[in-house]
Amino acid sequence: EVQLVESGGGLVQPGGSQRLSCAASGFPLDAYAIGWFRQAPGKEREGVSCVSSRDGSTYYADSVKGRFTISTDNAKNTVYLQMNSLKPDDTAVYYCAAVLGVHSSTWYRPLAYDYWGQGTQVTVSS
């Protein structure tokens, strides 16, 4: 069974840092691309970052460039999203998703992904 499980969400102060984890099972992580998405109240789901575990290519939304970093630990079958300098606008439910063969032109589109985790809440507030 293909499963993706996010963890690491919670409450953090503005300017703080948080690391999210996406644990994959049922498929070899190094053969897939993993994307991070987020959805805030009243907004559509948006792509945050993506990594191809096969070639290491990474992608970031303009809103998080320089603040967020995506990384992969193939031995643990886990993808991480390190979030620094967090802002209240980063508050959202964060999801990880997997697809075989991501394209640079479509990495940020939710419909491009086949498998999804349940999401983890990140709240940035003082």
Side-chain angles (χ1 to χ4, degrees):
E1 180 183 358
V2 174
Q3 284 191 313
L4 297 168
V5 180
E6 302 95 334
S7 62
L11 178 64
V12 62
Q13 294 183 337
S17 298
Q18 198 161 40
R19 189 177 76 163
L20 305 182
S21 299
C22 175
S25 62
F27 64 93
L29 183 62
D30 61 3
Y32 283 75
I34 304 296
W36 282 99
F37 292 78
R38 66 186 183 187
Q39 189 164 22
K43 295 184 178 181
E44 295 185 351
R45 191 168 299 186
E46 64 174 338
V48 176
S49 185
C50 178
V51 61
S52 170
S53 298
R54 289 181 293 177
D55 61 18
S57 298
T58 59
Y59 308 91
Y60 296 94
D62 289 342
S63 60
V64 306
K65 285 182 179 178
R67 299 190 298 121
F68 290 11
T69 303
I70 192 169
S71 62
T72 302
D73 187 336
N74 288 334
K76 297 181 179 179
N77 232 42
T78 299
V79 176
Y80 303 97
L81 184 68
Q82 178 66 47
M83 305 185 294
N84 299 327
S85 302
L86 284 163
K87 307 173 182 179
D89 285 349
D90 295 319
T91 297
V93 177
Y94 283 72
Y95 302 87
C96 63
V99 64
L100 180 63
V102 72
H103 297 280
S104 61
S105 61
T106 60
W107 72 265
Y108 57 89
R109 297 182 179 272
L111 290 177
Y113 293 79
D114 296 320
Y115 307 103
W116 290 84
Q118 82 290 341
T120 185
Q121 176 71 46
V122 174
T123 302
V124 184
S125 176
S126 59

